[in-house]
Amino acid sequence: MTASQPVDFAQITRARELPAELREQLVDCWVRVINAGGAVIPRELPMPPVNTGQADPALGLLVGALDPRRARMLIATVGGKLAGWLIVRRDPHPLVAHCGAVNHVMTHPDFRGSGIGTALMHRVRELARQEMGLEQLHIAVRAGLGLEEFYGRLGWREIGRWPGGLRVSPGDDRDEILMYLAL
């Protein structure tokens, strides 16, 4: 990312809003992130390596659940190229409807280290507060990747851990770290 190429953001709030070309880019990004060791592996996908044929149906499930009141996809582009994306969700239950969860945060490997992750997290904070009316956000991250430090620099606080809750591979158990951000 350079000063001459700012980050642009778009939201997808319904499945019908996602163009086929962008869907292909999202799937490609997801596959590349997972296969590069990223921590965005949903239950619907096997452990790496994964391919686009496996990731496309998983993306379909995410996109199919989008709704402007409850779940949105935030997309970052630079110079017209997909640079990163995430999902922000509101729980529909009245006791926790003021809270949201951020999932599937990823930066395209071609844009790593260029500030895309930080830009996405700043923008999702604004979107959650101003457009969705949320008061707090939650995220769960995998230990051992420096993610808790990244989110901590952005104001997120660790509120708990599930020790050894994530088995990356036999003999490689990691804590799942729960984090919170007041909006």
Side-chain angles (χ1 to χ4, degrees):
M1 181 174 68
T2 66
S4 63
Q5 291 189 309
V7 180
D8 294 311
F9 295 102
Q11 290 182 53
I12 303 293
T13 62
R14 291 184 175 87
R16 67 177 181 257
E17 297 171 1
L18 183 62
E21 181 181 328
L22 180 55
R23 181 183 176 120
E24 289 175 15
Q25 292 174 33
L26 293 166
V27 169
D28 177 68
C29 177
W30 203 356
V31 167
R32 290 183 63 189
V33 166
I34 290 172
N35 290 338
V40 286
I41 306 169
R43 290 181 181 100
E44 300 84 13
L45 288 176
M47 294 303 286
V50 299
N51 61 48
T52 57
Q54 295 165 316
D56 187 68
L59 183 72
L61 292 173
L62 285 177
V63 172
L66 297 178
D67 177 294
R69 295 161 304 199
R70 291 189 313 270
R72 299 174 184 206
M73 177 181 282
L74 179 62
I75 298 166
T77 59
V78 174
K81 296 181 182 179
L82 178 69
W85 61 280
L86 59 76
I87 301 287
V88 60
R89 292 187 178 97
R90 168 199 308 279
D91 192 302
H93 194 282
L95 286 174
V96 290
H98 65 289
C99 302
V102 178
N103 305 109
H104 305 288
V105 179
M106 63 188 87
T107 299
H108 192 288
D110 292 346
F111 290 90
R112 288 272 164 86
S114 64
I116 298 300
T118 298
L120 273 166
M121 297 314 295
H122 285 302
R123 179 64 186 111
V124 77
R125 184 179 191 157
E126 294 170 10
L127 181 159
R129 183 179 56 239
Q130 296 171 3
E131 297 181 34
M132 296 178 76
L134 297 172
E135 297 172 23
Q136 59 180 268
L137 290 173
H138 305 157
I139 195 167
V141 301
R142 182 193 309 168
L145 299 174
L147 297 172
E148 62 269 41
E149 290 87 10
F150 168 76
Y151 289 109
R153 287 190 302 271
L154 298 173
W156 291 75
R157 288 189 344 212
E158 182 178 328
I159 57 170
R161 284 181 181 243
W162 181 9
L166 302 172
R167 178 156 293 152
V168 178
S169 63
D172 186 6
D173 292 352
R174 310 271 181 96
D175 291 357
E176 182 171 33
I177 303 167
L178 309 175
M179 301 188 82
Y180 155 87
L181 179 69
L183 301 175

